Amino acid sequence: MEKQGTIIKVSGPLVVAKGMEGARMYEVVRVSEKKLIGEIIGIEGGEASIQVYEETGGIGPGEPVYSTGQTMQVELGPGLLQSIYDGIQRPLPLLQKEAGEYITRGIDVPGLDRKKTWDFKSIKNKGENVTEGDILVEVQETSLIMHKVMVPPGINGSIKEIKSGSHTIKDTIAVITDAEGKDHEISMLQKWPIRNPRPVKDKSIPSKPLVSGTRILDTLFPLAKGGAGCIPGPFGAGKTVTQQTLAKYCDAEIIVYIGCGERGNEMTDVLMEFPELEDPNTGEKLMKRTVMVANTSNMPVAAREASIYTGVTIAEYYRDMGYDVALMADSTSRWAEALREMSGRLEEMPGEEGYPAYLGSRTAQFYERSGTVKCLGANDDREGSLTLIGAVSPPGGDLSEPVTQNTLRVTKVFWGLDAKLAYRRHFPAINWLTSYTLYNDNIKDFWKNEIAEDFEEYRTQAMGILQEEAKLEEIVRLVGMEALSPKERLTLETAKSLREDFLFQNAFDKIDAYTPLKKQYWMLKSILNVAHHAQKVIEHEDFNFDELLALPVMERVAKCKNIDPDKEDEFKKLWEDTEREIMGLQKA
Ligand code: ADP
């Protein structure tokens, strides 16, 4: 490490140094004799603005700045899964061992264990030609996930040497000779700059849903695999529970969870709870296919800014292996606040509410890293996906604020959490009137082919009834229930049933927490089936609503969430009985 410049100013996480000619934007530097890690975020003449990822207390003008010649990178390789990192990929438990409860400064703890050996198997042979992205060896990283070591981007050639066996991540496992005759030694440890998206062969239009088992999400407002979604909500409305339910149940193979704690203990809760979560499919710990990036409130603000890039780069790496990856960031408002604080210290011209003018472009750059992709590599047609789900915590629940607005501009799904619903303990407290998805057209064929021909019809009907309910409630408030026609009354009853028996879902109930897609469809059909048949009898002059509501079948419909998901027959019986009992009313 060479001394390059001299500090002239320290302002919290921002350090300004002179004599930095030749330094590049986003280069990593070490600040003062304590060798604090920093990144150049502005450079003019020989003066560099450095964002420092550690506490700068006690550091002052005159002290040296050292160059490293590198940009901020993450380490990629086996050992990422089950890790909990800080914003610049220092393992949290290790950091704590090395530094005690509070993270002290300037310590170098690598992201991946250098000593551990991994058993791996080559899947290519000596003499074979390979191109960037081709899989060279496979490593059983955890009992749930096979890690695939790929030819790093930019390297093509023939395999001069390849090993199988047991090695550390630093050992050479293959040598590739390129067209110019130059040898490239490949190890299981690879690096990638966090601010650059990893290359892919092609991006395609997402066409499959990310199935979460949460009925309101899957049926009404589906997110596509490879899509981007946003969960704004005031404090206590359910952002964290929704993100964790998604992490646990969604059908992605790899989960990257980025936590940016608001209050000190909040992140601690997540750090304690998350490693205990069980993977419902295997009964193993969810961490076996998870990487966590955590920012506790005692960590410097700059590390929070970097954390979403660290997280998304790790997520892209697993996507490149051909996995479906889902990344949850909770909450991106904390990231935006870090951006605002750095911008303020840089004395940049503030935009809306003090956020920098580039908040929008930074937000877009992050969400644009989502996608369904054809992975690099010549001899297989690997596809992977990266779905990004960001929670936003608008102050006072005001969605017009800049972070929410900029996020909505680039995400295609909006799951609007509503304090009023949470207060009424309707969970998930997602407002069905304000939420939306723009992926419906993309995944319509999937519903049709995989679930049911008429799924879309039922979905549209349900949405219509819920919207109609909102209008009718207004009328009831003004002139009372008596003013409604039987048809309108039926709409209200159906809407109530949709809300209470379909949309309401307890994330903490073992059975109710996850509903397979087919069962979601059957449940929806059971509820709308009542309306469908009732419509035929309500106009009859002897018709009495209380008699309808008292039919035995109504109780069964209300409890249809308890029917086993593989018992289609039971649902069919319910539909038949519904028709028979309701038609029976007419004869009476
Ligand atoms: P936020 O992250 O928005 O501040 P949380 O996710 O911590 O809010 O949710 C607050 C509380 O609401 C939870 O502790 C839980 O009791 C309740 N809750 C939220 N979502 C659900 C759900 N889907 N099922 C059951 N309870 C929920």
Side-chain angles (χ1 to χ4, degrees), residues 233-242 266 330 417 425 427-428 505-508:
F235 174 72
K239 292 181 295 294
T240 307
V241 174
T242 308
E266 204 176 47
D330 181 21
L417 288 167
R425 305 210 63 75
F427 290 119
Q505 193 170 357
N506 186 349
F508 301 112

Side-chain angles (χ1 to χ4, degrees), residues 117-122 137-140 162-168 171 173 188:
T117 55
W118 296 90
D119 291 328
F120 62 93
K121 209 173 85 226
S122 69
V137 307
E138 290 186 337
V139 189
Q140 193 71 51
I162 188 158
K163 296 179 186 160
S164 284
S166 190
H167 278 281
T168 71
D171 295 337
I173 53 151
M188 286 187 267

